Amino acid sequence: MKYKEVNKNDRTKFNKKIIKIYALIFIVLFFISNLNIFNLVQLPTDIYTNFEEIENANKDKLFSDIVSIDFDKNSVKTGKNGDFESIVIFKLFGFIPIKKVNIKILPEEEVYAGGNPIGLTVYTYGAMVISNSDIDLKNNEVSSNRYIKNGDIIKSIDGHEINDLNQISQILEDNKNESINIEVIRNGKIKNFDIPILKDNEGKSKLGIWVKNDVSGIGTLTFVVKNNNGFGALGHPVTNGKSDNCIDIKNGNIYKCTLVGIDKGKDNDPGQLKCVFVQKNEEGNIEKNTKFGIFGKLNSESNLIDPNVSYKLGGRLGVRPGKATIISSISGIREEYEIEIIKANYQKSSDDKSIVFRVKDKRLLDLTGGIVQGMSGSPIVQNGKIIGAVTHVFLNDSTKGYGVYTDFMLEELNSLK
């Protein structure tokens, strides 16, 4: 008996059809089950969480009806910072692994809650440019400087590293050329320029720019770790005010801050807290300025801590749209004010706009009109845990704001160990 030979091309076409059919079935199931399945794609490969959040995520079917999360208990180990690490596996239909995520176990110990305004000063490694005008001292003319820009950090001049502002005058005085080489940090990148030297009426060399080596401002304390007084605050970076670029800092200090008034937020006007502080008797040291705030250690006798107000930290898997609160001391005492979380982004790439929320509490709306400048860092609490910090206000709607996940801040703080 003769068998008909199957053509290889026919077999390939048949296999491709089968694959397309299976792919179509999966896509349809994804849409039918729950669109939250696509949040899984945005989930990063490293997060903070715990057993309770994993259990609740499965119970709430956080990533759809057909996706479950298994905690690989055998993979639990101690990380380099002393925290516990493990792996969770996301499974389709309970048995098909589709994603692995490395997790760090959230600390069981509660942290002291912030919510109180703080004054802060940070010092840069070089000289920060605060005016990029080119000044002709002979003709008293000002024109745009095509070399140095606002926010640039002058790292070195003529090969000399800048650690003190007084160095600049001395280097210029020693220079005998008509130009000088300046190395700056701009947007995290190093750039070199040969800058023409200007002479004033007395013949002294000038660059035609204004510089400083410190930035001061106010913000809000988020949390303080009980066992070592490590703190996180602000939720977003300290910048030079001219751009959103994070300043590379040498060190800094935080101070007790007194609230003296509030400019209420309005549409297209974010408002602000009016605070005063004196740069002495610092409450703690700033060691790090990052995209997610400032981090360092409080003094053991710091007055910024209220030992009666503490919470556990929560991770992003525990955050849900719905009722939450923010902690603030704008009334004179630490209080919780009701907000509604509108959206919680899972964020494959880190960002300080993780959470979108709306202020619901009439007391806060009467006091501030919503979120105002200076409230950045206010803790966001949901289900009895600090799950984030306020970072930004919507410019066209002061009742709405953004928040950053606590686990981004915790990761930065733990890196100081």
Side-chain angles (χ1 to χ4, degrees):
M1 191 173 182
K2 225 173 178 184
Y3 290 93
K4 188 177 180 181
E5 188 176 343
V6 179
N7 186 285
K8 281 188 178 180
N9 289 333
D10 290 340
R11 188 161 54 233
T12 301
K13 288 178 181 179
F14 177 76
N15 290 338
K16 285 182 177 179
K17 285 182 181 179
I18 293 295
I19 292 171
K20 287 180 180 179
I21 291 171
Y22 277 116
L24 182 60
I25 290 172
F26 277 118
I27 291 171
V28 171
L29 284 171
F30 284 172
F31 275 100
I32 291 175
S33 61
N34 195 326
L35 284 175
N36 282 340
I37 185 66
F38 295 103
N39 287 331
L40 184 57
V41 178
Q42 295 301 316
L43 194 68
T45 55
D46 293 274
I47 62 172
Y48 276 87
T49 190
N50 56 26
F51 291 94
E52 180 186 1
E53 288 188 352
I54 297 295
E55 184 179 342
N56 288 336
N58 283 327
K59 181 180 177 181
D60 297 340
K61 299 178 180 178
L62 190 59
F63 293 97
S64 84
D65 294 337
I66 58 175
V67 173
S68 59
I69 311 171
D70 280 349
F71 211 123
D72 185 359
K73 296 181 180 180
N74 294 326
S75 66
V76 175
K77 62 181 181 179
T78 303
K80 60 182 180 180
N81 292 321
D83 47 2
F84 291 101
E85 299 178 3
S86 185
I87 295 173
V88 292
I89 304 170
F90 292 78
K91 294 181 179 179
L92 194 63
F93 305 119
F95 65 93
I96 304 175
I98 55 176
K99 185 167 186 172
K100 283 187 177 183
V101 174
N102 299 314
I103 65 166
K104 293 181 179 179
I105 308 298
L106 288 162
E108 284 295 317
E109 186 180 16
E110 293 186 345
V111 297
Y112 297 119
N116 42 320
I118 55 173
L120 61 97
T121 300
V122 295
Y123 300 93
T124 63
Y125 279 102
M128 183 187 304
V129 178
I130 58 174
S131 172
N132 64 333
S133 294
D134 195 17
I135 304 171
D136 187 335
L137 295 165
K138 286 185 177 179
N139 301 315
N140 197 27
E141 293 178 354
V142 179
S143 60
S144 177
N145 188 321
R146 67 180 186 273
Y147 304 101
I148 310 293
K149 303 298 181 185
N150 284 338
D152 285 352
I153 304 293
I154 297 177
K155 185 180 179 184
S156 67
I157 300 179
D158 203 21
H160 300 281
E161 185 177 344
I162 301 301
N163 295 308
D164 187 282
L165 297 184
N166 294 327
Q167 288 178 267
I168 298 176
S169 298
Q170 186 62 52
I171 293 170
L172 290 176
E173 186 179 331
D174 295 341
N175 179 66
K176 305 303 180 185
N177 301 317
E178 294 183 354
S179 64
I180 198 164
N181 182 264
I182 296 184
E183 186 179 56
V184 304
I185 301 174
R186 180 183 300 167
N187 299 331
K189 297 179 180 178
I190 295 177
K191 294 182 176 290
N192 275 279
F193 302 101
D194 287 321
I195 309 295
I197 297 294
L198 298 172
K199 300 286 185 178
D200 63 12
N201 294 329
E202 298 177 355
K204 290 184 177 180
S205 298
K206 303 288 180 180
L207 291 175
I209 56 176
W210 293 94
V211 295
K212 63 178 182 177
N213 67 347
D214 65 272
V215 175
S216 296
I218 64 167
T220 297
L221 184 67
T222 306
F223 63 86
V224 180
V225 178
K226 288 185 177 182
N227 63 4
N228 61 13
N229 272 13
F231 73 84
L234 211 59
H236 63 68
V238 175
T239 70
N240 65 349
K242 304 292 184 182
S243 69
D244 293 329
N245 295 323
C246 183
I247 298 171
D248 188 19
I249 69 166
K250 183 165 47 177
N251 51 46
N253 300 305
I254 64 172
Y255 306 89
K256 191 172 182 180
C257 191
T258 302
L259 179 65
V260 296
I262 300 172
D263 286 340
K264 292 182 69 172
K266 304 172 185 176
D267 290 352
N268 300 312
D269 181 1
Q272 63 178 334
L273 300 182
K274 293 181 177 180
C275 298
V276 294
F277 68 94
V278 180
Q279 291 182 344
K280 66 178 184 178
N281 301 323
E282 61 267 14
E283 297 284 343
N285 300 316
I286 301 170
E287 300 178 33
K288 197 174 184 183
N289 177 38
T290 78
K291 188 176 182 179
F292 308 116
I294 54 173
F295 302 88
K297 296 287 179 69
L298 291 188
N299 301 334
S300 57
E301 69 280 4
S302 173
N303 295 311
L304 298 178
I305 294 173
D306 184 345
N308 299 311
V309 184
S310 61
Y311 298 79
K312 284 188 176 183
L313 295 177
R316 76 189 70 189
L317 289 185
V319 182
R320 302 285 188 276
K323 186 177 178 180
T325 60
I326 61 174
I327 302 175
S328 179
S329 301
I330 54 173
S331 68
I333 59 173
R334 280 182 177 86
E335 293 188 84
E336 289 193 33
Y337 296 95
E338 184 182 348
I339 64 171
E340 177 190 10
I341 294 178
I342 302 169
K343 186 178 181 182
N345 301 304
Y346 287 96
Q347 293 179 304
K348 191 170 187 178
S349 58
S350 55
D351 191 11
D352 58 1
K353 294 181 178 178
S354 315
I355 301 166
V356 181
F357 66 88
R358 178 186 290 109
V359 176
K360 304 288 286 184
D361 200 301
K362 187 177 184 302
R363 297 173 301 156
L364 185 57
L365 293 172
D366 288 343
L367 278 169
T368 64
I371 302 300
V372 297
Q373 296 178 84
M375 291 179 68
S376 296
S378 301
I380 300 175
V381 177
Q382 191 176 56
N383 297 323
K385 296 179 180 179
I386 296 177
I387 50 91
V390 174
T391 57
H392 302 279
V393 60
F394 279 60
L395 289 179
N396 61 349
D397 185 354
S398 60
T399 68
K400 293 171 69 177
Y402 290 105
V404 63
Y405 288 126
T406 305
D407 52 2
F408 286 146
M409 299 183 71
L410 185 61
E411 181 70 14
E412 295 289 356
L413 182 58
N414 283 341
S415 69
L416 295 179
K417 294 180 180 180

